[in-house]
Amino acid sequence: MEIIILPDSDAIGDLAGDAVTALLDRKPGAVLGLATGSSPLPVYDNLAARYDAGDVSFAQARAFTLDEYVGLDAGHPERYANVIHKEFTSRVDFEPGSVQGPNGLATDIPAACQSYEEAIHAAGGVDLQILGIGTDGHIAFNEPGSSLASRTRIKTLTRQTRIDNARFFDDDLDQVPTQCLTQGLATIMEARHIVLVATGQNKAEAVHQLAEGGVSALWPATILQHHPHVSVLVDEAAAGRLQLANYYRQTYAAKPVWQGL
Ligand code: GLP
């Protein structure tokens, strides 16, 4: 796991944008994993700017989102399928139908979860997964207690996650759904490269646990310690509790340029 401490979210967006652009240069039909939440927005802004400048194309790429609320109607603005369309995929040149997410409106939820796993597999798996992290260490919607071997399934959101996300629902906790569909931890672990972004002091404990805590279902992101290629991009505030922060800084400063992320 590589920890990179950067000055601000623009620098995070730029470095993650470099990694996505380099991937699409060498593999135009790459499969991207997309996360919702506020943390990846600088990455999407950076990629949209590169697309506007003619520096990257998503025309042959495909994408899979991580998770979805259960029960929000198709037109609801906070449905993750609509959020990712608005925040990113509609701003670049993905072909219609090339971006998929779990179906939170399915009548047969287990079948929808199974077919989502099969769709990711049929696409050849995710080449680069963009991830955020919740304040309680969740990734996607794998809340504390999630099986480290979990696959796409229905989950109940913790009260903390619903409180954290109430800002997207008029600050009204009652409007935040209680259930979601989410890629499992084992599903996410199959991505070839994971780029996790975190900013702000409220993520500092989760980032510390992610990189330096014991691997545990209590902090689901810690499973990433078992992944061979994870890049964690954080600002100074999110790095505030890292015990080895100086070592990470020295390592990144000495990193050979050719290595990329
Ligand atoms: C939600 C999403 C996660 C995201 C998390 C943190 O729970 N399902 O994918 O990582 O929020 O969001 P934010 O980046 O807005 O703090």
Side-chain angles (χ1 to χ4, degrees):
M1 183 178 291
E2 180 180 29
I3 316 292
I4 304 175
I5 303 169
L6 293 161
D8 54 33
S9 57
D10 282 349
I12 291 173
D14 197 38
L15 191 57
D18 278 348
V20 173
T21 304
L23 169 66
L24 289 168
D25 272 353
R26 67 174 184 274
K27 186 177 181 182
V31 178
L32 300 176
L34 302 178
T36 46
S38 47
S39 309
L41 295 180
V43 183
Y44 301 147
D45 288 345
N46 183 278
L47 288 169
R50 288 175 195 252
Y51 168 72
D52 288 342
D55 294 337
V56 67
S57 170
F58 300 83
Q60 296 176 55
R62 278 167 295 173
F64 290 89
T65 58
L66 286 169
D67 47 13
E68 183 59 274
Y69 292 113
V70 167
L72 290 187
D73 64 52
H76 195 291
E78 292 308 324
R79 195 169 170 247
Y80 279 171
N82 298 329
V83 170
I84 203 70
H85 179 77
K86 173 170 162 254
E87 304 286 7
F88 179 46
T89 56
S90 66
R91 300 166 68 191
V92 297
D93 60 344
F94 279 104
E95 287 291 323
S98 62
V99 180
Q100 296 182 59
N103 181 6
L105 290 169
T107 47
D108 185 340
I109 294 278
C113 293
Q114 177 65 28
S115 76
Y116 196 58
E117 289 275 338
E118 287 165 6
I120 296 171
H121 185 72
V126 171
D127 291 298
L128 189 154
Q129 175 67 58
I130 295 166
L131 269 189
I133 187 169
T135 54
D136 60 3
H138 74 251
I139 51 176
F141 268 139
N142 292 282
E143 297 283 27
S146 290
S147 162
L148 301 180
S150 50
R151 313 296 311 196
T152 303
R153 69 214 182 288
I154 191 166
K155 287 291 287 182
T156 299
L157 299 172
T158 63
R159 183 173 165 78
Q160 183 60 53
T161 295
R162 293 180 64 236
I163 291 170
D164 287 348
N165 289 359
R167 67 190 193 279
F168 300 115
F169 293 84
D170 307 323
D171 284 319
D172 178 3
L173 192 56
D174 291 340
Q175 288 184 41
V176 185
T178 54
Q179 290 179 312
C180 61
L181 303 187
T182 181
Q183 286 189 32
L185 293 170
T187 319
I188 294 167
M189 285 289 284
E190 286 172 357
R192 294 177 188 93
H193 180 197
I194 292 175
V195 177
L196 186 147
V197 296
T199 50
Q201 193 189 355
N202 64 336
K203 300 293 173 70
E205 179 63 17
V207 168
H208 161 61
Q209 293 291 338
L210 154 72
E212 299 171 335
V215 175
S216 159
L218 198 55
W219 291 93
T222 56
I223 189 64
L224 299 178
Q225 293 177 26
H226 282 289
H227 193 285
H229 191 185
V230 178
S231 309
V232 177
L233 314 187
V234 292
D235 67 0
E236 292 285 348
R241 295 191 58 120
L242 287 171
Q243 286 176 17
L244 303 182
N246 285 337
Y247 172 64
Y248 306 140
R249 286 184 225 278
Q250 289 158 13
T251 304
Y252 188 60
K255 186 175 181 176
V257 174
W258 55 262
Q259 227 174 1
L261 269 192

